Amino acid sequence: MATALQLSAQETQNFAIAIHGGAGTIEKSRFTPEQEKAYRLKLKEAVEAGYKVLEKGGDSLDAITIAINILEDSPFFNAGKGAVYTYDGHHELDASIMDGKNRQAGAVSGVMHIKNPINLAREVMDNSVHVMLSGKGAETFAKQQGLEVVPASYFNTSHRHEALLRAKEKLKQKESGTKDYQALHQTLPEQYKMGTVGAVALDKNGNLAAGTSTGGMTAKRFGRVGDSPIIGAGTFADNNSCAVSATGHGEYFIRYNVAADICARVAYQNKTIAQAGQDVIFGPMYRDGGTGGVIIVDKEGNISMPFNTKGMYRASKSNRSATYVGIFK
């Protein structure tokens, strides 16, 4: 049972949650009013489900897991059900989660049959001696833990398949100049290179948590792994500073260690999360061509959601601020 002292601390502790559903070329002109409403309702549903956990005194890890599950189960976002296709027509999913209380973390990459990859990342953190598992080994572990396994066809959606066909057609059109896949893929428009879901939260006990889940990059090859399952790049949480989940062109977020860099600036330079996020998202990474955004919550319950693209699906709520949902810049 909680002591009177613990209950008193909970009553004065701020709590907050922020979520994202990916950043990129998200323009209002591309949405019908009905589509925009549907996206906003799904973001609202996810952030409020996570918030209810926090409001009842629940753990930040549980709050972000529930919120991410809702986004993974929706075909709107590039994670879980809405995962994009690889070049060969498969789905390879990645996810990671981190506990700010003790820096415990779990991650998975390249799984093809796990309904909710964030749940598997959580199992890796809680019930294995490792931080990251991949491919068939990760799926064997998932079955041992009793997680829901689905046929590969579960992740099939017509709009993602059409995106793969368009991407392959664009790659084919460029082939006359080079046969190098890396160079060819660089020519693809921004929207084929990003798409992720994530959540960050602070609970009434002062614990921060962050999680990220993705279907990766359209037409990716050779077992490509982006930033989403990499602790420090796509996900980071530390009670002494902040919690971050990233979305964007993963290769840049890996090279610039984005999530950990933001928290380091908060911890060591005494910057606010708004300042630290702005410095990183619009800093050297951006000047080098890196596009995307992050959601951040600090140990005081402040929220920041900077992005350098035309839009980012995002939502937030705290004990001091009403539900906010945004899509466009």
Side-chain angles (χ1 to χ4, degrees):
M1 280 184 67
T3 66
L5 194 64
Q6 287 172 323
L7 289 171
S8 176
Q10 279 198 347
E11 286 166 6
T12 58
Q13 170 68 47
N14 291 321
F15 56 97
I17 184 168
I19 67 167
H20 70 76
T25 310
I26 303 166
E27 298 171 308
K28 196 172 181 69
S29 61
R30 297 187 177 196
F31 288 76
T32 65
E34 293 76 20
Q35 286 173 327
E36 182 180 339
K37 182 180 179 183
Y39 273 86
R40 288 184 180 277
L41 284 173
K42 186 56 67 174
L43 291 165
K44 184 173 185 283
E45 178 191 348
V47 79
E48 291 190 344
Y51 182 81
K52 283 179 184 175
V53 173
L54 302 173
E55 193 174 33
K56 293 175 182 175
D59 192 88
S60 54
L61 285 166
D62 292 335
I64 65 169
T65 302
I66 284 171
I68 291 172
N69 282 167
I70 289 171
L71 300 175
E72 285 178 329
D73 291 344
S74 168
F76 293 164
F77 308 101
N78 178 17
K81 177 61 180 172
V84 299
Y85 286 77
T86 67
Y87 188 89
D88 297 321
H90 305 303
H91 305 279
E92 296 174 357
L93 295 83
D94 308 327
S96 65
I97 197 166
M98 189 167 186
D99 186 349
K101 180 168 69 263
N102 50 22
R103 285 208 188 190
Q104 289 293 312
V108 294
S109 69
V111 296
M112 301 174 73
H113 302 92
I114 309 304
K115 182 173 182 282
N116 295 104
I118 196 68
N119 294 3
L120 180 51
R122 179 88 182 262
E123 292 291 339
V124 172
M125 178 177 72
D126 291 341
N127 296 311
S128 84
V129 296
H130 307 297
V131 170
M132 182 183 284
L133 301 180
S134 65
K136 291 182 179 178
E139 298 202 345
T140 298
F141 178 73
K143 291 170 186 173
Q144 290 178 357
Q145 299 304 309
L147 291 188
E148 187 169 358
V149 176
V150 294
S153 60
Y154 167 80
F155 303 105
N156 291 349
T157 54
S158 58
H159 69 292
R160 297 298 189 197
H161 190 250
E162 288 163 9
L164 171 66
L165 297 179
R166 288 196 301 270
K168 292 180 81 167
E169 182 59 32
K170 287 180 183 295
L171 291 172
K172 188 177 180 181
Q173 289 169 5
K174 303 282 185 179
E175 262 186 359
S176 57
T178 177
K179 293 292 183 183
D180 182 86
Y181 173 77
Q182 183 180 11
L184 284 170
H185 206 281
Q186 292 293 343
T187 67
L188 282 178
E190 186 181 78
Q191 67 262 31
Y192 295 107
K193 301 174 185 175
M194 53 182 64
T196 313
V197 306
V200 292
L202 173 72
D203 63 32
K204 288 185 177 182
N205 291 313
N207 292 320
L208 289 161
T212 312
S213 181
T214 188
M217 181 185 282
T218 302
K220 65 180 181 178
R221 297 180 77 180
F222 314 120
R224 177 263 185 185
V225 178
D227 65 307
S228 296
I230 297 178
I231 300 303
T235 303
F236 196 78
D238 188 326
N239 280 5
N240 294 315
S241 54
C242 61
V244 178
S245 174
T247 172
H249 192 164
E251 280 67 14
Y252 290 92
F253 282 70
I254 294 170
R255 287 161 51 195
Y256 285 91
N257 199 36
V258 165
D261 188 14
I262 289 170
C263 291
R265 290 166 189 259
V266 172
Y268 305 131
Q269 296 180 347
N270 293 315
K271 292 194 171 183
T272 66
I273 54 172
Q275 291 170 327
Q278 191 80 3
D279 288 351
V280 173
I281 293 301
F282 289 93
M285 178 192 73
Y286 181 54
R287 293 193 290 273
D288 197 28
T291 51
V294 291
I295 50 172
I296 320 166
V297 171
D298 70 12
K299 60 184 180 179
E300 307 298 334
N302 299 307
I303 299 167
S304 185
M305 301 186 283
F307 55 97
N308 60 31
T309 52
K310 291 184 178 179
M312 181 169 78
Y313 300 110
R314 60 201 186 277
S316 64
K317 187 170 187 176
S318 78
N319 63 311
R320 297 177 294 171
S321 60
T323 302
Y324 165 80
V325 177
I327 297 178
F328 314 108
K329 204 156 195 171

